[in-house]
Structures are given as C-alpha cells and as structure tokens.
Amino acid sequence: MWNQTSLAGKRILVTAGADGIGLEIVRAFAGAGSKMLVCDIQPESLARLAKELPDIHSCLADVSRENDVASMFELVDQKLGGLDVLVNNAGIAGPTGGIETLSLADWERTLAVSLTGQFLCIRQAVPRLRQGRGPSIINLSSAAGHLGMPGRAPYAASKWGVVGLTKTLAIELGRDGIRVNAILPGAVDGPRI
C-alpha cells in the first residue's frame, strides 16, 4: 500500500513544475520528503516556487531543446546525485482551429514540447533510473490522449503519442524494473481553463 513516507528521500525530476498540475505534483512530493529538481520555462514561476519551497532545486529549461535537457540532467547528477522518478509534465496547448487553418510551425512546436520533450527527457533519464531506487517514469498525457478533440489536432496527436510511447516503454523498460505510466487528466481548474 502506498503511503507518503515511501517517497521520503526519493530523487525526482519534474518538468514544467512551477505552475498548474506540475506545481501540485511538486507540492505532493515535497510534502512526502522527496528531493527534487524542477524545470520550467517561466523564470517568474520558478522564483515563486523558490519562495514557497526553498529546499527544491530548479532550473530554466525548454524540454524541446536537446541542449537544455542535457544541461538539466547534469544538474540532476550534481544536485540530486541520481534519479529515482521522472515526471514528464511539460506540454503546451497548441493552436485551436480546423486542420486546414493550422500552420506547420504550430503543429511542430506542439509535438516538439508535448511529445519530443518527453522522449528527450526519457532518453537522458533511463541510464540514471537503471541505477535508481524503485525507478519510475510518469508521463502526463490528457483525456485528449484517448478521445478525439475537434479543433485541437496537434494537441490530441501529441497526447495520443504520449500514450503510445508510455505503453511501449512500459514493455521495453519493465525488464529493468523501471515502471512507466501515464496520467490522463481531464479539465483542470487553472489558468488555461
């Protein structure tokens, strides 16, 4: 049975963890005594997080940029001394409109952050997780990851992609003792909704 003390001392990376769902995840892990590194693309959000939870390490990083992700994982090594849990929370809403109205740039940016960003983080995390304690990857998808969403093709495609990536990696990494799961939240009371 899960209890908060089971997370004490766990070394956790949360992407986009300074606002919204990510911040609530960070608060829960902090309350359970976990050691964390949190990245975000909003400096002001990271500054608020530092005031609220001063023991948490943080950095600016765009998960769609390979160099940002590599630098972030160097901080994981320096600040946490390894990794037990990766929470791939970063994602963007992307454009809204009929498929014929969408630009290629908006399509590519949505997939770059919401899907490729998870791939980049997982690729860096796996060697560290193999050395971790009870290693786990938690990928944030969405209800849009199993339902169609008219007018939101890039977002839905990226979130379906997260589900496929998660299922595949659960099989691939299970033999290494790394659990891989996805969370598919619906509407959340926050700035986007």
Side-chain angles (χ1 to χ4, degrees):
M1 181 173 148
W2 178 83
N3 62 56
Q4 286 191 332
T5 58
S6 68
L7 298 172
K10 286 277 190 181
R11 300 162 301 172
I12 300 171
L13 170 62
V14 180
T15 66
D19 277 314
I21 291 173
L23 178 58
E24 293 306 316
I25 291 168
V26 168
R27 286 174 174 151
F29 280 126
S34 301
K35 288 177 58 176
M36 276 181 285
L37 176 69
V38 173
C39 83
D40 209 287
I41 60 168
Q42 300 294 333
E44 57 278 0
S45 297
L46 287 170
R48 282 194 306 274
L49 177 65
K51 287 181 184 172
E52 179 184 342
L53 298 166
D55 293 334
I56 291 177
H57 302 287
S58 65
C59 67
L60 276 172
D62 179 340
V63 297
S64 72
R65 295 183 179 158
E66 190 171 13
N67 290 340
D68 281 15
V69 172
S71 296
M72 179 174 63
F73 275 89
E74 288 176 12
L75 282 176
V76 165
D77 296 339
Q78 293 167 13
K79 302 295 184 181
L80 303 181
L83 189 65
D84 302 311
V85 179
L86 167 64
V87 180
N88 265 323
N89 176 61
I92 60 173
T96 301
I99 193 73
E100 74 281 4
T101 69
L102 304 177
S103 73
L104 178 59
D106 284 344
W107 172 272
E108 289 178 338
R109 180 68 183 152
T110 305
L111 268 67
V113 174
S114 299
L115 181 58
T116 302
Q118 290 199 11
F119 158 75
L120 291 172
C121 289
I122 292 167
R123 189 175 64 173
Q124 288 277 341
V126 165
R128 293 161 172 92
L129 291 170
R130 284 190 175 117
Q131 307 302 313
R133 299 179 309 265
S136 178
I137 298 170
I138 303 165
N139 295 326
L140 270 287
S141 178
S142 165
H146 70 100
L147 302 169
M149 203 168 198
R152 301 295 305 284
Y155 180 76
S158 71
K159 296 304 184 177
W160 278 75
V162 168
V163 170
L165 177 65
T166 301
K167 288 183 176 197
T168 298
L169 294 180
I171 298 165
E172 183 178 321
L173 300 174
R175 65 179 170 255
D176 295 325
I178 301 172
R179 291 173 293 114
V180 186
N181 291 282
I183 298 173
L184 285 70
V188 174
D189 185 12
R192 281 194 201 169
I193 303 295

